[in-house]
Amino acid sequence: RARSEFYALRDSLADRPATSTLVIASLKSLLSWAEKRAFVDHNWAKGVEPLYKGGRRQELIWTPELQQAFLAECHKADVAIKFKFSAMTAIRVGDLLALRWSNFDGRWIRYKPEKTHHNDPLLTVSLPVFALTPVAELLDAIPRGLGDDPIFKVETNSKSDDSAHILRMQFVRIRKKIGAEHLHWHDLRGTAISSLFAAGCSDAEVASISGHKIGGSSMLGAYAARSDDLAVNAFRKLNAHLSRPAVVVPFHPRVAY
């Protein structure tokens, strides 16, 4: 009876398969915890299959062709700027929209990733804007505001003040037009990391840009200290790589997002 109810819960979210999968995964985790502590006799959610299988991370990248198609459909310059910036810096959308002009000193953008801040409050990502010409040009095109003003404003006629939701709606409309429904904004992060690897960056250099952990337990390899020099090397290599003719870059399978 319990498993029947769990399947009913899963299927009730069939129009949102990724959410359905997350809900069932959370239920499995909760009941696993309860089973180990003898609060329940059996984890009946364990055998419930997810609705959303997802694609392999190797396939979830924005190829140069798809990037060009997306930008061609951008009727708002601010969306195009955010898209390009994300595809080169591996920044998460929440961190992108949280950037303020006080984070940028004219040469470096420095920010604390929201996702990892609680686990590592000292972690700061430093982006050497001066070392990557396309990024420097993007920022030069944005009118500079006061310290607390957002760098990447979301332009809209909507009364909503939820910038992330508005950007997502703008993104989804364009994505549908170009037939890229399988890709998400977060896949720009994987695309940027793939480009860094394709440019010849080491694991430590990639981590200095992406904000991944550096150390023995890192998905990005052996220990190295995070430093500004690593970030500069990474962006200089990427700058040289982007100056060459565009090629389709395969996703790097070593990295978990």
Side-chain angles (χ1 to χ4, degrees):
R1 186 172 66 251
R3 181 168 288 175
S4 175
E5 292 186 9
F6 295 158
Y7 272 108
L9 171 62
R10 183 200 71 173
D11 296 343
S12 70
L13 297 168
D15 59 330
R16 290 176 289 163
T19 299
S20 171
T21 298
L22 182 60
V23 168
I24 295 301
S26 300
L27 181 61
K28 289 178 181 178
S29 179
L30 174 64
L31 291 179
S32 175
W33 176 89
E35 184 183 15
K36 290 176 182 177
R37 288 159 179 78
F39 294 132
V40 297
D41 294 329
H42 186 74
N43 180 0
W44 290 107
K46 192 173 182 179
V48 178
E49 305 86 355
L51 286 178
Y52 179 69
K53 303 297 185 182
R56 295 185 304 162
R57 296 252 31 131
Q58 294 92 326
E59 300 167 353
L60 299 178
I61 63 167
W62 285 87
T63 65
E65 293 79 10
L66 283 174
Q67 290 186 48
Q68 291 172 8
F70 184 95
L71 294 171
E73 292 291 340
C74 279
H75 302 301
K76 289 182 177 290
D78 67 305
V79 177
I81 289 174
K82 294 180 186 71
F83 184 89
K84 291 178 182 178
F85 187 87
S86 298
M88 289 185 286
T89 62
I91 192 171
R92 296 181 177 90
V93 67
D95 295 325
L96 174 79
L97 297 177
L99 287 179
R100 298 295 185 264
W101 285 107
S102 57
N103 295 112
F104 182 43
D105 65 6
R107 288 174 57 80
W108 293 84
I109 284 180
R110 302 185 193 273
Y111 70 95
K112 293 183 179 297
E114 181 182 9
K115 183 175 181 180
T116 54
H117 178 64
H118 297 295
N119 295 329
D120 188 357
L122 298 180
L123 172 62
T124 298
V125 173
S126 299
L127 303 177
V129 172
F130 62 90
L132 186 52
T133 302
V135 168
E137 291 174 348
L138 284 178
L139 290 172
D140 285 343
I142 303 173
R144 182 137 192 168
L146 300 176
D148 290 335
D149 291 339
I151 295 178
F152 298 99
K153 295 180 180 178
V154 176
E155 298 176 7
T156 179
N157 296 323
S158 171
K159 295 181 180 180
S160 172
D161 57 359
D162 187 343
S163 296
H165 175 72
I166 294 169
L167 180 60
R168 179 179 178 276
M169 291 299 99
Q170 294 170 338
F171 167 78
V172 167
R173 283 195 293 270
I174 300 173
R175 183 186 65 177
K176 185 175 181 180
K177 283 185 179 180
I178 65 172
E181 288 92 343
H182 63 295
L183 293 173
H184 299 80
W185 191 281
H186 187 71
D187 295 319
L188 291 170
R189 178 169 167 80
T191 300
I193 290 173
S194 291
S195 295
L196 287 164
F197 276 120
C201 294
S202 67
D203 287 353
E205 288 169 342
V206 173
S208 70
I209 300 301
S210 69
H212 280 91
K213 284 181 61 178
I214 301 178
S217 62
S218 172
M219 295 299 295
L220 287 171
Y223 177 82
R226 189 182 307 276
S227 71
D228 287 354
D229 286 342
L230 285 172
V232 171
N233 290 344
F235 264 15
R236 283 180 174 161
K237 289 178 179 179
L238 182 57
N239 193 60
H241 177 71
L242 294 177
S243 298
R244 296 194 290 268
V247 295
V248 176
V249 180
F251 191 86
H252 198 283
R254 285 185 288 170
V255 187
Y257 299 95

